[in-house]
Amino acid sequence: MKPYMKVSLAALAIGVGVWVGSVYSNTAIGAGTSQPGTADDPVVTKSYVDQQIQKALNGGTNAGSGSSAGNNSGSTGTGSTGGDTSLPPVVSGASDAVEIVTVKPGQQLIGASGAEFIVRSGKAVIVSEGTNGVADLTDGVDLTNGQAVPTNHLLSFPRDGRGITVLDGNKYSLTVMVRGGYSLK
Protein backbone atom coordinates (compact mmCIF):
# COMPACT_ATOMS: atom_id res chain seq x y z
CA MET A 1 0.00 0.00 0.00
CA LYS A 2 1.26 3.42 -0.88
CA PRO A 3 2.05 5.96 1.83
CA TYR A 4 -0.48 8.55 0.66
CA MET A 5 -3.24 5.83 0.88
CA LYS A 6 -2.23 5.02 4.46
CA VAL A 7 -2.42 8.67 5.44
CA SER A 8 -5.78 9.07 3.68
CA LEU A 9 -7.29 6.01 5.42
CA ALA A 10 -5.96 7.16 8.79
CA ALA A 11 -7.47 10.62 8.30
CA LEU A 12 -10.78 9.03 7.25
CA ALA A 13 -10.79 6.76 10.31
CA ILE A 14 -10.08 9.70 12.63
CA GLY A 15 -12.83 11.76 10.97
CA VAL A 16 -15.39 8.95 11.33
CA GLY A 17 -14.38 8.50 14.97
CA VAL A 18 -14.86 12.20 15.72
CA TRP A 19 -18.24 12.22 13.99
CA VAL A 20 -19.48 9.09 15.88
CA GLY A 21 -18.22 10.53 19.16
CA SER A 22 -20.04 13.80 18.64
CA VAL A 23 -23.31 12.03 17.77
CA TYR A 24 -23.17 9.88 20.92
CA SER A 25 -22.12 12.85 23.02
CA ASN A 26 -25.18 14.85 21.95
CA THR A 27 -27.44 11.90 22.80
CA ALA A 28 -25.89 11.56 26.25
CA ILE A 29 -26.29 15.28 26.94
CA GLY A 30 -29.96 15.13 25.99
CA ALA A 31 -30.60 12.25 28.45
CA GLY A 32 -29.86 14.37 31.50
CA THR A 33 -31.87 17.50 30.83
CA SER A 34 -33.70 17.48 34.22
CA GLN A 35 -32.24 19.73 36.86
CA PRO A 36 -32.26 18.42 40.45
CA GLY A 37 -35.01 20.08 42.47
CA THR A 38 -37.46 20.51 39.58
CA ALA A 39 -40.81 18.72 39.19
CA ASP A 40 -39.11 16.18 36.93
CA ASP A 41 -36.38 15.40 39.50
CA PRO A 42 -37.51 16.40 43.00
CA VAL A 43 -35.08 16.60 45.91
CA VAL A 44 -36.37 14.96 49.11
CA THR A 45 -35.07 15.41 52.62
CA LYS A 46 -34.24 12.74 55.17
CA SER A 47 -37.14 13.82 57.38
CA TYR A 48 -39.57 13.32 54.49
CA VAL A 49 -38.22 9.83 53.84
CA ASP A 50 -38.42 9.01 57.57
CA GLN A 51 -42.06 10.17 57.66
CA GLN A 52 -42.93 8.03 54.68
CA ILE A 53 -41.26 5.00 56.26
CA GLN A 54 -43.18 5.57 59.50
CA LYS A 55 -46.41 5.88 57.51
CA ALA A 56 -45.69 2.58 55.78
CA LEU A 57 -44.80 0.83 59.04
CA ASN A 58 -47.88 2.14 60.85
CA GLY A 59 -50.21 0.94 58.13
CA GLY A 60 -50.72 4.29 56.47
CA THR A 61 -51.59 6.33 59.56
CA ASN A 62 -49.41 9.30 60.30
CA ALA A 63 -48.47 9.38 63.99
CA GLY A 64 -47.29 12.98 63.78
CA SER A 65 -44.62 15.01 62.14
CA GLY A 66 -41.99 14.62 64.83
CA SER A 67 -39.46 11.88 65.24
CA SER A 68 -40.71 8.70 66.87
CA ALA A 69 -37.34 7.18 67.73
CA GLY A 70 -37.39 5.28 70.99
CA ASN A 71 -41.18 5.21 71.36
CA ASN A 72 -41.50 1.47 70.77
CA SER A 73 -39.57 0.02 73.67
CA GLY A 74 -42.40 -2.28 74.71
CA SER A 75 -41.02 -2.53 78.22
CA THR A 76 -43.26 -3.04 81.23
CA GLY A 77 -40.57 -2.76 83.86
CA THR A 78 -37.16 -1.38 84.61
CA GLY A 79 -35.61 -4.76 85.39
CA SER A 80 -35.04 -3.98 89.07
CA THR A 81 -37.46 -5.10 91.77
CA GLY A 82 -35.89 -3.01 94.53
CA GLY A 83 -35.62 -4.42 98.04
CA ASP A 84 -39.01 -6.17 98.14
CA THR A 85 -38.60 -9.81 97.07
CA SER A 86 -42.33 -10.59 97.40
CA LEU A 87 -43.15 -8.76 94.17
CA PRO A 88 -44.04 -10.78 91.09
CA PRO A 89 -41.31 -11.16 88.48
CA VAL A 90 -40.66 -8.17 86.28
CA VAL A 91 -41.37 -9.08 82.67
CA SER A 92 -40.26 -7.08 79.68
CA GLY A 93 -41.81 -7.23 76.25
CA ALA A 94 -39.65 -8.15 73.28
CA SER A 95 -38.21 -5.15 71.46
CA ASP A 96 -35.12 -3.93 69.68
CA ALA A 97 -34.40 -1.41 72.41
CA VAL A 98 -31.55 -2.14 74.81
CA GLU A 99 -32.41 -2.03 78.51
CA ILE A 100 -29.98 -1.89 81.41
CA VAL A 101 -30.98 -4.45 84.04
CA THR A 102 -29.53 -4.84 87.55
CA VAL A 103 -29.54 -8.41 88.89
CA LYS A 104 -29.07 -8.69 92.64
CA PRO A 105 -27.61 -11.78 94.36
CA GLY A 106 -30.28 -14.47 94.58
CA GLN A 107 -32.16 -13.23 91.50
CA GLN A 108 -32.23 -14.85 88.08
CA LEU A 109 -32.47 -13.00 84.79
CA ILE A 110 -34.28 -15.36 82.40
CA GLY A 111 -34.24 -14.53 78.71
CA ALA A 112 -37.13 -15.10 76.33
CA SER A 113 -36.55 -16.93 73.10
CA GLY A 114 -34.27 -14.80 70.91
CA ALA A 115 -33.13 -12.47 73.70
CA GLU A 116 -29.56 -11.17 73.85
CA PHE A 117 -27.60 -10.29 77.00
CA ILE A 118 -24.25 -8.60 77.57
CA VAL A 119 -22.92 -8.78 81.14
CA ARG A 120 -21.23 -5.41 81.67
CA SER A 121 -20.14 -5.85 85.29
CA GLY A 122 -20.23 -8.53 87.95
CA LYS A 123 -19.65 -12.28 88.05
CA ALA A 124 -22.42 -14.27 86.36
CA VAL A 125 -23.13 -17.94 85.70
CA ILE A 126 -25.50 -19.62 83.25
CA VAL A 127 -28.85 -21.00 84.42
CA SER A 128 -30.15 -23.65 82.03
CA GLU A 129 -32.21 -26.80 82.25
CA GLY A 130 -30.81 -29.82 80.44
CA THR A 131 -27.53 -30.19 78.59
CA ASN A 132 -28.01 -27.35 76.12
CA GLY A 133 -27.02 -23.89 77.20
CA VAL A 134 -26.61 -20.38 75.90
CA ALA A 135 -24.65 -19.36 72.81
CA ASP A 136 -21.68 -17.07 73.46
CA LEU A 137 -21.59 -15.32 70.08
CA THR A 138 -18.34 -13.50 70.86
CA ASP A 139 -16.28 -16.68 71.33
CA GLY A 140 -18.52 -18.99 69.29
CA VAL A 141 -19.03 -21.50 72.11
CA ASP A 142 -21.97 -22.93 74.03
CA LEU A 143 -22.09 -22.07 77.73
CA THR A 144 -23.84 -24.75 79.80
CA ASN A 145 -25.52 -24.67 83.22
CA GLY A 146 -23.25 -23.32 85.97
CA GLN A 147 -20.54 -22.14 83.60
CA ALA A 148 -19.10 -18.64 84.16
CA VAL A 149 -20.15 -15.87 81.78
CA PRO A 150 -17.33 -13.66 80.46
CA THR A 151 -18.01 -9.94 80.72
CA ASN A 152 -18.68 -7.95 77.55
CA HIS A 153 -19.63 -11.07 75.55
CA LEU A 154 -22.83 -11.22 73.51
CA LEU A 155 -25.04 -14.08 74.69
CA SER A 156 -27.95 -15.40 72.63
CA PHE A 157 -30.85 -17.26 74.23
CA PRO A 158 -32.38 -19.63 71.66
CA ARG A 159 -35.24 -20.83 73.90
CA ASP A 160 -37.23 -19.70 76.91
CA GLY A 161 -36.16 -20.77 80.40
CA ARG A 162 -32.44 -20.06 80.12
CA GLY A 163 -30.71 -17.17 81.82
CA ILE A 164 -28.02 -15.92 84.15
CA THR A 165 -27.62 -15.37 87.87
CA VAL A 166 -25.02 -13.90 90.22
CA LEU A 167 -22.17 -16.29 91.05
CA ASP A 168 -22.72 -18.02 94.43
CA GLY A 169 -20.86 -16.24 97.21
CA ASN A 170 -20.65 -12.98 95.30
CA LYS A 171 -22.26 -10.03 97.12
CA TYR A 172 -22.21 -7.60 94.16
CA SER A 173 -24.99 -7.14 91.62
CA LEU A 174 -24.77 -7.72 87.89
CA THR A 175 -25.26 -4.97 85.35
CA VAL A 176 -26.61 -6.48 82.14
CA MET A 177 -27.56 -4.97 78.78
CA VAL A 178 -30.68 -6.79 77.54
CA ARG A 179 -32.27 -6.77 74.10
CA GLY A 180 -35.51 -8.71 73.78
CA GLY A 181 -37.87 -10.21 76.31
CA TYR A 182 -36.80 -11.23 79.79
CA SER A 183 -38.07 -11.89 83.28
CA LEU A 184 -36.36 -11.16 86.56
CA LYS A 185 -37.11 -13.72 89.30
Side-chain angles (χ1 to χ4, degrees), residues 93-159:
S95 77
D96 286 338
V98 175
E99 294 184 46
I100 305 299
V101 179
T102 301
V103 182
K104 295 186 168 108
Q107 292 181 322
Q108 292 182 346
L109 181 62
I110 306 298
S113 178
E116 296 175 340
F117 293 176
I118 298 176
V119 178
R120 295 289 292 149
S121 67
K123 303 288 184 186
V125 293
I126 296 294
V127 176
S128 175
E129 298 173 359
T131 59
N132 293 330
V134 175
D136 179 351
L137 300 178
T138 305
D139 278 344
V141 296
D142 196 41
L143 302 176
T144 56
N145 189 33
Q147 196 168 358
V149 176
T151 56
N152 299 318
H153 280 223
L154 178 61
L155 305 177
S156 176
F157 293 82
R159 295 188 182 176

Side-chain angles (χ1 to χ4, degrees), residues 73-75 90-97 99 101 109-117 157 159-162 178-184:
S73 68
S75 174
V90 175
V91 178
S92 171
S95 77
D96 286 338
E99 294 184 46
V101 179
L109 181 62
I110 306 298
S113 178
E116 296 175 340
F117 293 176
F157 293 82
R159 295 188 182 176
D160 293 338
R162 300 172 187 181
V178 178
R179 179 180 304 167
Y182 69 93
S183 63
L184 189 59

